Amino acid sequence: MTKGLPQENCYVNILRDAMAVDTLDDCGIYFGTTGGQVYCSPNGGDSWNAITHDLPAVLSVEAQTLA
């Protein structure tokens, strides 16, 4: 569950509205931090990818799947 996430010296907060999931069969999970990072997991949390590192504090995240 931590593959792709920072493991040391990472002090960020994730607000309740800054996490979302999509409706695909292998659920995607997305979250943003107060430090301006956004991460996604296309496989239900097994591994993570950073989408961006340089936003202002992320207060809300929403996900939409496109067919």
Side-chain angles (χ1 to χ4, degrees):
M1 291 188 149
T2 60
K3 183 179 179 185
L5 293 176
Q7 299 300 304
E8 295 180 5
N9 301 319
C10 182
Y11 306 100
V12 297
N13 292 316
I14 301 167
L15 303 177
R16 182 183 343 206
D17 290 335
M19 182 175 258
V21 296
D22 62 33
T23 58
L24 298 174
D25 286 338
D26 201 5
C27 156
I29 305 170
Y30 311 85
F31 72 86
T33 71
T34 56
Q37 301 90 14
V38 177
Y39 292 91
C40 72
S41 172
N43 50 19
D46 288 338
S47 63
W48 296 89
N49 301 305
I51 295 174
T52 187
H53 288 99
D54 51 5
L55 294 173
V58 179
L59 305 178
S60 178
V61 172
E62 291 190 30
Q64 179 178 354
T65 55
L66 302 174

